[in-house]
Each structure stands twice: as structure tokens, then as C-alpha cells.
Coordinates of all heavy atoms in Angstrom, one line a residue:
M1 N -41.8 -93.3 178.0 CA -40.8 -93.0 177.0 C -41.4 -92.9 175.7 O -42.2 -93.8 175.3 CB -39.7 -94.1 177.0 CG -38.8 -94.0 175.9 SD -37.6 -95.4 176.0 CE -36.3 -94.6 175.0
A2 N -41.1 -91.9 174.9 CA -41.6 -91.8 173.6 C -40.9 -92.7 172.6 O -39.7 -92.9 172.7 CB -41.5 -90.3 173.1
L3 N -41.6 -93.3 171.7 CA -41.0 -94.2 170.7 C -40.0 -93.4 169.9 O -39.0 -94.0 169.4 CB -42.1 -94.8 169.8 CG -43.0 -95.8 170.4 CD1 -44.0 -96.3 169.4 CD2 -42.2 -97.0 171.0
S4 N -40.1 -92.1 169.7 CA -39.2 -91.3 168.9 C -37.8 -91.2 169.6 O -36.8 -90.9 169.0 CB -39.8 -90.0 168.7 OG -40.0 -89.3 169.9
S5 N -37.8 -91.6 170.9 CA -36.5 -91.5 171.6 C -35.6 -92.7 171.5 O -34.5 -92.8 172.0 CB -36.7 -91.2 173.1 OG -37.4 -92.2 173.7
I6 N -36.1 -93.8 170.8 CA -35.3 -95.0 170.5 C -34.3 -94.5 169.5 O -34.6 -94.0 168.4 CB -36.2 -96.1 169.9 CG1 -37.3 -96.5 170.9 CG2 -35.3 -97.3 169.5 CD1 -36.8 -97.2 172.2
E7 N -33.0 -94.7 169.8 CA -31.9 -94.4 168.9 C -31.2 -95.6 168.4 O -30.9 -96.5 169.2 CB -30.9 -93.4 169.6 CG -31.5 -92.1 170.1 CD -30.5 -91.3 170.8 OE1 -29.4 -91.0 170.2 OE2 -30.8 -91.0 172.0
V8 N -30.8 -95.6 167.1 CA -30.0 -96.6 166.5 C -28.9 -95.9 165.8 O -29.1 -95.1 164.9 CB -30.9 -97.4 165.5 CG1 -30.0 -98.4 164.8 CG2 -32.0 -98.1 166.2
F9 N -27.6 -96.2 166.2 CA -26.5 -95.4 165.7 C -25.2 -96.3 165.9 O -25.2 -97.2 166.7 CB -26.4 -94.1 166.4 CG -26.1 -94.2 167.9 CD1 -24.9 -94.2 168.4 CD2 -27.2 -94.4 168.8 CE1 -24.6 -94.3 169.8 CE2 -27.0 -94.5 170.2 CZ -25.7 -94.4 170.7
P10 N -24.1 -96.0 165.1 CA -24.1 -95.1 164.0 C -24.8 -95.7 162.8 O -24.9 -96.9 162.7 CB -22.6 -94.9 163.7 CG -22.0 -96.2 164.2 CD -22.8 -96.6 165.4
N11 N -25.2 -94.8 161.9 CA -25.9 -95.3 160.8 C -25.5 -94.4 159.6 O -25.7 -93.2 159.6 CB -27.4 -95.2 161.0 CG -28.2 -95.8 159.9 OD1 -27.7 -96.5 159.0 ND2 -29.5 -95.6 159.9
P12 N -24.7 -95.0 158.6 CA -24.4 -96.4 158.5 C -23.3 -96.9 159.4 O -22.6 -96.1 160.0 CB -23.9 -96.5 157.0 CG -23.5 -95.1 156.7 CD -24.3 -94.2 157.5
T13 N -23.1 -98.2 159.5 CA -22.1 -98.8 160.3 C -21.5 -100.0 159.6 O -22.1 -100.5 158.6 CB -22.7 -99.3 161.7 OG1 -21.6 -99.7 162.5 CG2 -23.7 -100.4 161.5
N14 N -20.4 -100.5 160.1 CA -19.8 -101.7 159.5 C -19.3 -102.7 160.6 O -18.8 -103.8 160.3 CB -18.7 -101.5 158.6 CG -17.5 -100.8 159.2 OD1 -17.5 -100.6 160.4 ND2 -16.5 -100.4 158.4
R15 N -19.5 -102.3 161.9 CA -19.1 -103.2 163.0 C -20.1 -103.3 164.1 O -20.7 -104.3 164.3 CB -17.7 -102.6 163.5 CG -17.1 -103.6 164.5 CD -15.7 -103.3 164.7 NE -15.2 -104.2 165.8 CZ -15.0 -103.9 167.0 NH1 -15.2 -102.6 167.4 NH2 -14.5 -104.7 167.9
L16 N -20.3 -102.2 164.9 CA -21.2 -102.3 166.0 C -22.3 -101.3 165.8 O -22.1 -100.2 165.4 CB -20.5 -101.9 167.3 CG -19.5 -102.9 167.8 CD1 -18.8 -102.4 169.1 CD2 -20.2 -104.3 168.2
L17 N -23.6 -101.8 166.1 CA -24.7 -101.0 166.0 C -25.2 -100.7 167.5 O -25.4 -101.7 168.2 CB -25.8 -101.6 165.2 CG -27.1 -100.8 165.1 CD1 -26.9 -99.6 164.2 CD2 -28.2 -101.7 164.5
N18 N -25.4 -99.5 167.9 CA -25.8 -99.2 169.2 C -27.3 -99.0 169.2 O -27.8 -98.3 168.3 CB -25.2 -97.9 169.7 CG -23.7 -98.1 169.9 OD1 -23.2 -98.9 170.7 ND2 -22.9 -97.3 169.1
I19 N -28.1 -99.5 170.1 CA -29.5 -99.4 170.2 C -29.7 -98.8 171.6 O -29.4 -99.4 172.6 CB -30.2 -100.7 170.0 CG1 -29.9 -101.2 168.6 CG2 -31.7 -100.5 170.2 CD1 -30.3 -102.6 168.4
K20 N -30.3 -97.6 171.7 CA -30.5 -96.9 173.0 C -32.0 -96.6 173.2 O -32.7 -96.2 172.3 CB -29.7 -95.6 172.9 CG -29.7 -94.8 174.2 CD -28.9 -93.6 174.1 CE -28.9 -92.8 175.4 NZ -28.2 -91.6 175.3
G21 N -32.4 -97.0 174.4 CA -33.8 -96.7 174.8 C -34.0 -97.3 176.2 O -33.2 -98.0 176.7
E22 N -35.1 -97.0 176.8 CA -35.5 -97.5 178.1 C -36.5 -98.6 178.0 O -37.4 -98.5 177.2 CB -36.0 -96.3 179.0 CG -35.0 -95.2 179.2 CD -35.6 -94.1 180.0 OE1 -36.7 -94.2 180.4 OE2 -34.9 -93.0 180.1
N23 N -36.5 -99.5 179.0 CA -37.5 -100.5 179.1 C -37.6 -101.5 177.9 O -38.7 -101.9 177.5 CB -38.8 -99.9 179.4 CG -39.8 -100.9 180.0 OD1 -39.4 -101.9 180.6 ND2 -41.1 -100.6 179.9
I24 N -36.5 -101.7 177.2 CA -36.4 -102.6 176.0 C -36.5 -104.0 176.5 O -35.8 -104.5 177.4 CB -35.2 -102.4 175.2 CG1 -35.1 -100.9 174.7 CG2 -35.1 -103.4 174.1 CD1 -33.8 -100.6 174.0
R25 N -37.4 -104.8 175.9 CA -37.6 -106.2 176.2 C -37.2 -107.1 175.1 O -36.9 -108.3 175.3 CB -39.1 -106.5 176.6 CG -39.5 -105.8 177.8 CD -38.8 -106.3 179.0 NE -39.1 -105.6 180.2 CZ -38.4 -104.7 180.9 NH1 -37.2 -104.4 180.4 NH2 -38.8 -104.2 182.0
R26 N -37.2 -106.6 173.8 CA -36.8 -107.5 172.7 C -36.3 -106.6 171.6 O -36.8 -105.5 171.3 CB -38.1 -108.3 172.2 CG -37.8 -109.3 171.2 CD -39.1 -110.0 170.8 NE -38.8 -111.1 169.9 CZ -38.5 -112.3 170.2 NH1 -38.5 -112.7 171.5 NH2 -38.2 -113.2 169.3
I27 N -35.3 -107.2 170.9 CA -34.7 -106.5 169.7 C -34.7 -107.6 168.6 O -34.0 -108.6 168.8 CB -33.3 -106.0 170.0 CG1 -33.3 -104.9 171.1 CG2 -32.7 -105.4 168.7 CD1 -31.9 -104.5 171.5
D28 N -35.4 -107.3 167.5 CA -35.4 -108.2 166.4 C -34.7 -107.5 165.2 O -35.1 -106.3 164.9 CB -36.8 -108.7 166.0 CG -37.4 -109.6 167.0 OD1 -36.7 -110.3 167.7 OD2 -38.7 -109.5 167.2
T29 N -33.9 -108.2 164.5 CA -33.2 -107.6 163.3 C -33.6 -108.3 162.1 O -33.5 -109.6 162.1 CB -31.7 -107.6 163.5 OG1 -31.3 -107.0 164.8 CG2 -30.9 -106.9 162.4
Y30 N -34.0 -107.6 161.1 CA -34.5 -108.2 159.8 C -33.6 -107.7 158.6 O -33.2 -106.5 158.7 CB -35.9 -107.8 159.6 CG -36.9 -108.2 160.6 CD1 -37.2 -107.5 161.7 CD2 -37.5 -109.5 160.5 CE1 -38.1 -107.9 162.7 CE2 -38.5 -109.9 161.4 CZ -38.7 -109.1 162.5 OH -39.6 -109.5 163.5
N31 N -33.5 -108.5 157.6 CA -32.9 -108.0 156.4 C -33.9 -107.3 155.6 O -35.0 -107.1 156.0 CB -32.2 -109.2 155.7 CG -33.1 -110.2 155.1 OD1 -34.4 -110.0 155.1 ND2 -32.6 -111.4 154.8
A32 N -33.5 -106.8 154.4 CA -34.4 -106.0 153.5 C -35.6 -106.8 153.1 O -36.6 -106.2 152.7 CB -33.6 -105.5 152.3
D33 N -35.5 -108.2 153.1 CA -36.6 -109.0 152.7 C -37.5 -109.3 153.8 O -38.4 -110.2 153.7 CB -36.1 -110.3 152.0 CG -35.3 -110.1 150.7 OD1 -35.7 -109.2 150.0 OD2 -34.4 -110.8 150.5
R34 N -37.2 -108.7 155.0 CA -38.0 -108.9 156.2 C -37.8 -110.3 156.8 O -38.7 -110.8 157.5 CB -39.5 -108.5 156.1 CG -39.7 -107.1 155.8 CD -39.3 -106.1 156.9 NE -40.2 -106.3 158.1 CZ -40.0 -105.7 159.2 NH1 -38.9 -104.9 159.4 NH2 -40.8 -105.8 160.2
Q35 N -36.7 -110.9 156.5 CA -36.4 -112.2 157.2 C -35.7 -111.9 158.5 O -34.7 -111.2 158.5 CB -35.5 -113.0 156.3 CG -36.1 -113.4 155.0 CD -35.1 -114.0 154.0 OE1 -34.0 -113.6 153.8 NE2 -35.6 -115.1 153.3
L36 N -36.1 -112.6 159.5 CA -35.5 -112.4 160.9 C -34.1 -113.0 160.8 O -34.0 -114.2 160.5 CB -36.4 -113.1 161.9 CG -35.9 -113.0 163.4 CD1 -35.9 -111.5 163.8 CD2 -36.7 -113.8 164.3
I37 N -33.1 -112.2 161.2 CA -31.8 -112.7 161.2 C -31.1 -112.7 162.6 O -30.1 -113.4 162.8 CB -30.8 -112.0 160.2 CG1 -30.8 -110.5 160.5 CG2 -31.3 -112.3 158.8 CD1 -29.8 -109.7 159.6
L38 N -31.7 -112.0 163.5 CA -31.1 -111.9 164.9 C -32.2 -111.5 165.8 O -33.0 -110.6 165.5 CB -30.0 -111.0 165.0 CG -29.3 -110.8 166.3 CD1 -28.6 -112.1 166.7 CD2 -28.3 -109.6 166.3
S39 N -32.3 -112.2 167.0 CA -33.3 -111.8 168.0 C -32.7 -111.9 169.4 O -32.0 -112.8 169.7 CB -34.5 -112.8 167.9 OG -35.5 -112.4 168.8
I40 N -33.0 -110.9 170.1 CA -32.4 -110.8 171.5 C -33.6 -110.4 172.4 O -34.4 -109.5 172.1 CB -31.4 -109.6 171.6 CG1 -30.2 -109.9 170.6 CG2 -30.8 -109.5 173.0 CD1 -29.4 -108.7 170.4
A41 N -33.8 -111.2 173.5 CA -34.9 -111.0 174.4 C -34.5 -110.9 175.8 O -33.4 -111.5 176.2 CB -36.0 -112.0 174.2
G42 N -35.3 -110.3 176.7 CA -35.0 -110.2 178.1 C -35.0 -108.8 178.6 O -35.5 -107.9 177.9
N43 N -34.5 -108.6 179.7 CA -34.3 -107.2 180.2 C -33.0 -106.6 179.7 O -31.9 -106.9 180.1 CB -34.3 -107.2 181.8 CG -35.6 -107.5 182.4 OD1 -36.6 -107.2 181.8 ND2 -35.6 -108.2 183.5
I44 N -33.2 -105.9 178.6 CA -32.0 -105.4 177.9 C -31.6 -104.0 178.4 O -32.4 -103.2 178.7 CB -32.4 -105.3 176.4 CG1 -32.7 -106.7 175.9 CG2 -31.3 -104.7 175.5 CD1 -33.4 -106.8 174.5
E45 N -30.3 -103.8 178.5 CA -29.8 -102.6 179.0 C -30.2 -101.4 178.2 O -30.6 -101.6 177.0 CB -28.2 -102.6 179.1 CG -27.7 -103.7 180.0 CD -26.2 -103.8 180.0 OE1 -25.5 -102.8 179.5 OE2 -25.6 -104.8 180.4
D46 N -30.1 -100.2 178.8 CA -30.6 -99.0 178.1 C -29.7 -98.7 176.8 O -30.2 -98.0 175.9 CB -30.5 -97.8 179.0 CG -31.6 -97.8 180.1 OD1 -32.5 -98.7 180.0 OD2 -31.5 -97.1 181.1
L47 N -28.5 -99.2 176.8 CA -27.6 -99.1 175.6 C -27.1 -100.5 175.3 O -26.4 -101.1 176.1 CB -26.5 -98.2 175.8 CG -25.5 -98.0 174.6 CD1 -26.2 -97.4 173.4 CD2 -24.3 -97.2 175.0
H48 N -27.6 -101.0 174.2 CA -27.2 -102.4 173.8 C -26.5 -102.3 172.5 O -26.8 -101.6 171.6 CB -28.5 -103.3 173.6 CG -28.2 -104.7 173.3 ND1 -27.7 -105.5 174.3 CD2 -28.2 -105.4 172.2 CE1 -27.5 -106.7 173.8 NE2 -27.8 -106.7 172.5
R49 N -25.4 -103.1 172.4 CA -24.6 -103.1 171.2 C -24.8 -104.4 170.4 O -24.7 -105.5 171.1 CB -23.1 -102.9 171.5 CG -22.8 -101.5 172.0 CD -21.3 -101.3 172.3 NE -21.1 -99.9 172.6 CZ -21.1 -99.4 173.8 NH1 -21.4 -100.2 174.8 NH2 -20.9 -98.1 174.0
V50 N -25.0 -104.3 169.1 CA -25.2 -105.5 168.3 C -24.0 -105.6 167.3 O -23.7 -104.6 166.6 CB -26.5 -105.5 167.5 CG1 -26.6 -106.7 166.6 CG2 -27.7 -105.4 168.5
D51 N -23.3 -106.7 167.2 CA -22.2 -106.9 166.3 C -22.8 -107.2 164.9 O -23.4 -108.3 164.8 CB -21.3 -108.0 166.8 CG -20.1 -108.2 165.9 OD1 -19.9 -107.5 164.9 OD2 -19.2 -109.0 166.3
V52 N -22.6 -106.3 164.0 CA -23.1 -106.5 162.6 C -22.0 -106.7 161.6 O -22.2 -106.7 160.4 CB -24.0 -105.3 162.2 CG1 -25.2 -105.2 163.1 CG2 -23.2 -104.0 162.1
S53 N -20.8 -107.0 162.1 CA -19.6 -107.2 161.3 C -19.8 -108.4 160.3 O -19.1 -108.4 159.3 CB -18.4 -107.3 162.1 OG -18.4 -108.4 162.9
R54 N -20.6 -109.3 160.7 CA -20.8 -110.5 159.8 C -22.0 -110.4 158.8 O -22.2 -111.2 158.0 CB -21.0 -111.8 160.7 CG -19.8 -112.1 161.5 CD -20.0 -113.4 162.2 NE -18.8 -113.6 163.1 CZ -18.7 -114.5 164.0 NH1 -19.8 -115.3 164.2 NH2 -17.6 -114.7 164.7
F55 N -22.7 -109.3 159.0 CA -23.8 -109.0 158.1 C -23.3 -108.6 156.7 O -22.3 -107.9 156.6 CB -24.7 -107.9 158.6 CG -25.5 -108.2 159.8 CD1 -25.2 -109.3 160.6 CD2 -26.5 -107.4 160.2 CE1 -26.0 -109.5 161.8 CE2 -27.3 -107.6 161.3 CZ -27.0 -108.7 162.1
A56 N -24.0 -109.0 155.6 CA -23.6 -108.6 154.3 C -24.0 -107.1 154.2 O -24.9 -106.6 154.9 CB -24.4 -109.4 153.3
A57 N -23.3 -106.4 153.3 CA -23.6 -105.0 153.1 C -25.0 -104.9 152.6 O -25.5 -105.7 151.8 CB -22.7 -104.4 152.1
G58 N -25.8 -103.9 153.1 CA -27.1 -103.6 152.7 C -28.0 -103.0 153.7 O -27.5 -102.5 154.7
Q59 N -29.3 -103.0 153.5 CA -30.2 -102.3 154.3 C -30.9 -103.3 155.3 O -31.2 -104.4 154.9 CB -31.3 -101.6 153.5 CG -32.3 -100.9 154.2 CD -33.3 -100.2 153.3 OE1 -33.2 -100.3 152.1 NE2 -34.3 -99.5 153.9
Y60 N -31.0 -102.9 156.5 CA -31.6 -103.8 157.6 C -32.6 -103.0 158.4 O -32.6 -101.7 158.4 CB -30.5 -104.3 158.5 CG -29.6 -105.3 157.8 CD1 -28.5 -104.8 157.1 CD2 -29.8 -106.6 157.8 CE1 -27.6 -105.6 156.4 CE2 -28.9 -107.5 157.2 CZ -27.9 -107.0 156.5 OH -27.0 -107.8 155.8
F61 N -33.4 -103.7 159.2 CA -34.4 -103.1 160.1 C -34.2 -103.7 161.4 O -34.0 -104.9 161.6 CB -35.8 -103.3 159.6 CG -36.1 -102.7 158.2 CD1 -35.9 -103.4 157.1 CD2 -36.5 -101.4 158.1 CE1 -36.1 -102.8 155.8 CE2 -36.8 -100.8 156.9 CZ -36.5 -101.5 155.8
V62 N -34.3 -102.8 162.4 CA -34.3 -103.3 163.8 C -35.7 -102.9 164.4 O -36.1 -101.8 164.3 CB -33.1 -102.7 164.6 CG1 -33.2 -101.2 164.8 CG2 -33.0 -103.4 166.0
E63 N -36.3 -103.9 165.0 CA -37.6 -103.7 165.7 C -37.4 -103.8 167.2 O -36.9 -104.8 167.7 CB -38.6 -104.8 165.2 CG -40.0 -104.5 165.6 CD -40.9 -105.5 165.0 OE1 -41.1 -106.6 165.5 OE2 -41.4 -105.2 163.9
V64 N -37.7 -102.7 167.9 CA -37.4 -102.6 169.3 C -38.8 -102.7 170.0 O -39.6 -101.9 169.8 CB -36.7 -101.3 169.7 CG1 -36.5 -101.2 171.2 CG2 -35.4 -101.2 168.9
K65 N -39.0 -103.7 170.9 CA -40.2 -103.9 171.6 C -40.0 -103.5 173.0 O -39.1 -104.0 173.7 CB -40.7 -105.3 171.5 CG -41.0 -105.7 170.1 CD -41.5 -107.1 169.9 CE -41.7 -107.4 168.5 NZ -42.1 -108.8 168.2
L66 N -40.9 -102.6 173.5 CA -40.7 -102.1 174.9 C -41.6 -102.9 175.8 O -42.5 -103.6 175.4 CB -41.2 -100.6 174.9 CG -40.4 -99.7 174.0 CD1 -40.9 -98.3 174.1 CD2 -38.9 -99.7 174.3
G67 N -41.4 -102.7 177.1 CA -42.1 -103.5 178.2 C -43.6 -103.2 178.2 O -44.3 -104.1 178.6
D68 N -44.0 -102.0 177.7 CA -45.4 -101.7 177.7 C -46.1 -102.2 176.4 O -47.3 -101.9 176.2 CB -45.6 -100.2 177.9 CG -45.0 -99.4 176.8 OD1 -44.6 -99.9 175.8 OD2 -45.1 -98.1 176.9
G69 N -45.4 -102.9 175.5 CA -46.0 -103.5 174.3 C -45.8 -102.7 173.1 O -46.1 -103.2 172.0
R70 N -45.4 -101.4 173.2 CA -45.1 -100.6 172.0 C -43.9 -101.1 171.3 O -43.0 -101.7 171.8 CB -45.0 -99.2 172.4 CG -46.3 -98.6 173.0 CD -46.1 -97.1 173.3 NE -45.1 -97.0 174.3 CZ -44.4 -95.9 174.6 NH1 -44.7 -94.8 173.9 NH2 -43.5 -95.8 175.5
T71 N -43.9 -100.8 170.0 CA -42.8 -101.3 169.1 C -42.3 -100.1 168.2 O -43.2 -99.3 167.7 CB -43.3 -102.4 168.2 OG1 -43.7 -103.5 169.0 CG2 -42.2 -102.9 167.3
A72 N -41.0 -100.0 168.1 CA -40.4 -99.0 167.2 C -39.6 -99.7 166.2 O -38.8 -100.6 166.6 CB -39.6 -98.0 168.0
T73 N -39.6 -99.3 165.0 CA -38.8 -99.9 163.9 C -37.9 -98.8 163.3 O -38.3 -97.7 163.0 CB -39.7 -100.5 162.8 OG1 -40.6 -101.4 163.4 CG2 -38.9 -101.1 161.7
R74 N -36.6 -99.2 163.2 CA -35.6 -98.3 162.6 C -34.9 -99.0 161.5 O -34.6 -100.2 161.7 CB -34.6 -97.8 163.7 CG -35.3 -97.1 164.9 CD -35.8 -95.7 164.5 NE -36.3 -95.0 165.7 CZ -37.5 -95.0 166.1 NH1 -38.4 -95.6 165.4 NH2 -37.9 -94.3 167.1
M75 N -34.5 -98.3 160.5 CA -33.7 -98.8 159.4 C -32.3 -98.4 159.7 O -32.0 -97.4 160.2 CB -34.2 -98.2 158.1 CG -33.5 -98.7 156.8 SD -32.0 -98.0 156.4 CE -32.5 -96.3 156.1
F76 N -31.4 -99.3 159.3 CA -29.9 -99.0 159.3 C -29.3 -99.7 158.1 O -29.8 -100.6 157.5 CB -29.3 -99.4 160.7 CG -29.2 -100.9 160.9 CD1 -28.0 -101.6 160.6 CD2 -30.2 -101.6 161.4 CE1 -27.9 -102.9 160.9 CE2 -30.1 -103.0 161.7 CZ -29.0 -103.6 161.4
I77 N -28.1 -99.2 157.8 CA -27.3 -99.7 156.7 C -26.0 -100.2 157.2 O -25.3 -99.6 158.0 CB -27.1 -98.5 155.7 CG1 -28.4 -98.1 155.1 CG2 -26.1 -98.9 154.6 CD1 -28.4 -96.9 154.2
V78 N -25.6 -101.4 156.6 CA -24.3 -102.0 156.9 C -23.5 -101.7 155.6 O -23.9 -102.0 154.5 CB -24.4 -103.5 157.1 CG1 -23.0 -104.1 157.2 CG2 -25.2 -103.7 158.4
N79 N -22.3 -101.0 155.8 CA -21.4 -100.6 154.8 C -20.5 -101.8 154.4 O -20.3 -102.7 155.2 CB -20.5 -99.5 155.2 CG -21.1 -98.2 155.1 OD1 -22.1 -98.0 154.5 ND2 -20.5 -97.2 155.9
C80 N -20.0 -101.8 153.2 CA -19.0 -102.7 152.8 C -17.7 -102.4 153.6 O -17.4 -101.3 154.0 CB -18.6 -102.6 151.3 SG -20.0 -103.1 150.2
R81 N -16.9 -103.4 153.8 CA -15.7 -103.3 154.6 C -14.6 -102.8 153.8 O -14.4 -102.9 152.6 CB -15.3 -104.6 155.3 CG -16.3 -104.8 156.4 CD -16.4 -106.3 156.7 NE -17.5 -106.9 157.2 CZ -18.8 -106.7 157.0 NH1 -19.2 -105.7 156.2 NH2 -19.7 -107.4 157.5

């Protein structure tokens, strides 16, 4: 699987963030200051939903780690409600 095929949508969002890809082993979410705010590990489904409704409005990063050790980072925005 190409790292470019990791999808994070909808972007921007205010409720649920979808993370789509194959062989995902870990998802780490960071705020704009690169502080870890959420981590999910294990055999993650090809489409995983993260509830971001409690996040403050702003810019965030999701780091997706695959089973083969590769990592993809995507930026997303949480809108004000």
C-alpha cells in the first residue's frame, strides 16, 4: 500500500474524522504544538472513525503507522461548532 493512499476525511470536520487505509497498527493525534492528545493501537480496521467533537477548534495532525513500519502524517482542521 502506498502511503499516499492513506485518507483522512472530512477535512475540515467538527464531529467525526475518518481514517482510511490498510494494515494500520497505530494512530496518534497531535495538536498544533505537537503534543500527543490521542493514541489508538492494535489491528485497526481499514476505516476507523475518531470522535473529535471534544477537540478545540484548530489545526491537528494524525500520524498513521502501518504494519510494515512506514508512517504517514496528515493535517486536519476542527471547525468551531
